[in-house]
């Protein structure tokens, strides 16, 4: 596994960034996230980052890709309105997910959009629910970017083991490398 991860670091570049952004976009589009491995792309990209510039590019590209995917759902919701709940697409994704998203939007507005990014299944319908429910565009964009940035950062951290440089900041009783 170490050899695989080391090999990924040699591959970091525009193609891997593009893959991460596209996978985050597709995973975030309405209904596709249930069957598309967006997290896998983020994990792969996270494992390939070795410098602060790599990290900044990776997190930025993935967050923008995820937010753009959210926009697809939002625009569909705006265009089709509340009647979208009865569509075959929403039935396939799950009416219960739509209803959960509607409750979240009703209670928390843009914060629901941000938090939904961290909830598999729900995150694929909340942008459309937000559009159908009439959440303002400014609130939607703010929530989408906050959520996408949080999501990309959390998944990057899962893929990126603590590097030796972090050890100098740790307390002596904390072991980031798993040793006793």
């Amino acid at each position: 596994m170490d050899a695989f991860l080391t090999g990924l670091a040699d591959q970091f570049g525009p193609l891997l960034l593009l893959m991460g952004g596209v996978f985050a976009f597709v995973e975030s589009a309405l209904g596709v996230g249930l069957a598309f491995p967006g997290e896998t792309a983020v994990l792969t990209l996270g494992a390939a980052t070795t410098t602060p510039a790599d990290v900044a590019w990776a997190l930025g590209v993935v967050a923008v890709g995820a937010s753009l995917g959210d926009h697809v759902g939002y625009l569909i919701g705006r265009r089709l309105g509340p009647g979208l709940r009865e569509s075959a697409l929403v039935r396939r994704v799950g009416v219960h997910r739509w209803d959960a998203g509607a409750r979240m939007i009703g209670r928390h507005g843009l914060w629901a959009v941000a938090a939904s990014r961290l909830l598999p299944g729900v995150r694929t319908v909340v942008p459309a629910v937000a559009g159908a429910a009439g959440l303002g565009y400014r609130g939607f964009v703010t929530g989408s970017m906050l959520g996408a940035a949080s999501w990309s950062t959390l998944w990057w951290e899962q893929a990126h083991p603590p590097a030796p440089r972090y050890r100098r900041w740790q307390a002596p009783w904390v072991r980031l490398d798993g040793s006793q």
Side-chain angles (χ1 to χ4, degrees):
M1 184 60 137
D2 288 339
F4 173 73
L5 294 176
T6 302
L8 278 178
D10 295 336
Q11 302 303 315
F12 186 85
L15 185 59
L16 202 56
L17 282 170
L18 178 65
M19 180 188 80
V22 167
F23 273 57
F25 171 83
V26 173
E27 189 269 344
S28 299
L30 181 64
V32 178
L34 297 174
F36 202 79
E39 285 93 355
T40 302
V42 178
L43 287 169
T44 303
L45 191 55
T49 59
T50 56
T51 69
D54 291 353
V55 173
W57 275 105
L59 294 179
V61 166
V62 168
V64 168
S67 185
L68 289 174
D70 288 349
H71 278 72
V72 170
Y74 180 81
L75 294 172
I76 289 170
R78 284 296 252 199
R79 171 70 92 184
L80 300 178
L84 183 60
R85 182 184 183 276
E86 306 304 322
S87 71
L89 178 62
V90 171
R91 279 195 307 274
R92 192 179 91 225
V93 172
V95 174
H96 66 284
R97 289 188 174 106
W98 180 275
D99 293 341
R103 286 189 300 275
M104 287 175 61
I105 293 294
R107 285 187 203 122
H108 306 290
L110 76 91
W111 296 108
V113 174
S116 73
R117 165 64 39 202
L118 305 176
L119 303 172
V122 174
R123 75 169 156 249
T124 62
V125 296
V126 165
V129 172
L135 179 65
Y137 186 68
R138 185 178 294 171
F140 172 77
V141 168
T142 302
S144 177
M145 287 306 297
L146 286 171
S150 298
W151 177 78
S152 62
T153 300
L154 288 171
W155 279 97
W156 173 83
E157 287 177 344
Q158 294 300 311
H160 202 272
R165 68 181 176 275
Y166 296 123
R167 291 192 191 116
R168 68 175 169 253
W169 296 320
Q170 76 185 37
W173 59 88
V174 175
R175 298 282 181 217
L176 296 175
D177 61 2
S179 65
Q180 299 292 330

